[in-house]
Amino acid sequence: MQIVIIGSGNVAYHLAKAFVQNNIPLAQIFGRNEEELKKISEELEITYSTKNLVDSDLYIIAVSDNSVEEVSEMIPIKDCLVVHTSGSLPKESLKGDYRKASFYPLQTFSKSKELDYSKIPFFIETENEQDKKTLFEIASKISEHVMESTHEKRKYIHLTAVFACNFVNHLFARAKEISDSQEIPFDYFLPLIDETVQKIYEIEPRSAQTGPAVRNDKRILELHEQLLHGESLEIYKTMNHSIQKMYEL
């Protein structure tokens, strides 16, 4: 099977790397950013192009959601399968006279961070059983966790991921602003962060909650509010309100 990955960003890079590591041959990696494509090509020994898209059986579009439709229109071949890697878009976002599917890896990707691809869940939606079988076979060579998902369910998967990953990382960034302002090394908080994450492997997140809000410690809550201002204060109030509402305090 001829496979092409379209894109040069974080998702495209890691998918290409996962394919190479698991001996899934790639005919080409294609995109607009020649500098990034060249880096990927040299590291993974994959042919790349910014101009000539080779004929393929499977095209994997790994670009930003805003670019999926435009990029999908570049594929003129009818007898092929085209997939996107978006967590929120329907497969119908692909505009072309070919078979359509979604191939969503649930992970946060950065080129500088190594990943264990076998632990990344893949969610697949197709138009027919044969394409589902094909994508399941490919994903199963990479990951131990592959399942079918409708677009409706995938929207909620992506929404959950935003809460569990993107929002949490933003709180890390805000926390670092506070520690930096007091010249406290943020590294000192990493054991706390590690323990918080490890705990939910064993305890339901709702049961693992600690802190002044769940204790309804008004003195500490007021003290903290006096130390904050601007957006950080608003986040602090909103988070504490949400915690107390969950526990009916």
Side-chain angles (χ1 to χ4, degrees), residues 212-213 215-225 244:
R215 295 195 306 267
N216 198 24
D217 191 333
K218 294 180 181 179
R219 184 179 66 85
I220 297 298
L221 293 172
E222 290 174 2
L223 172 62
H224 286 173
E225 287 180 10
Q244 292 187 319

Side-chain angles (χ1 to χ4, degrees), residues 17-81:
K17 191 172 182 179
F19 276 48
V20 169
Q21 287 184 359
N22 290 279
N23 299 312
I24 304 170
L26 288 172
Q28 183 189 62
I29 184 163
F30 180 89
R32 296 171 177 168
N33 190 325
E34 184 160 11
E35 182 179 352
E36 290 301 316
L37 287 172
K38 187 176 181 181
K39 289 179 185 176
I40 297 170
S41 173
E42 290 175 350
E43 178 184 344
L44 303 178
E45 298 182 350
I46 304 168
T47 300
Y48 82 91
S49 178
T50 60
K51 297 178 180 178
N52 300 311
L53 186 63
V54 299
D55 290 352
S56 183
D57 304 298
L58 170 61
Y59 294 92
I60 301 175
I61 298 177
V63 300
S64 67
D65 284 8
N66 291 336
S67 300
V68 166
E69 183 174 330
E70 178 187 354
V71 171
S72 72
E73 293 174 337
M74 298 168 53
I75 302 170
I77 302 170
K78 294 183 178 182
D79 188 22
C80 71
L81 173 61

Side-chain angles (χ1 to χ4, degrees), residues 1-4 6 53-54 56-62 68-69 71-85 90-103 125-128 131 134-135:
M1 171 177 267
Q2 291 278 94
I3 303 174
V4 169
I6 301 177
L53 186 63
V54 299
S56 183
D57 304 298
L58 170 61
Y59 294 92
I60 301 175
I61 298 177
V68 166
E69 183 174 330
V71 171
S72 72
E73 293 174 337
M74 298 168 53
I75 302 170
I77 302 170
K78 294 183 178 182
D79 188 22
C80 71
L81 173 61
V82 179
V83 309
H84 67 60
T85 59
K91 61 184 184 301
E92 289 77 18
S93 297
L94 300 166
K95 304 300 180 183
D97 190 15
Y98 41 65
R99 305 188 312 282
K100 304 173 177 68
S102 66
F103 189 74
E125 180 185 12
T126 63
E127 294 178 332
N128 62 64
D131 288 338
T134 297
L135 294 180

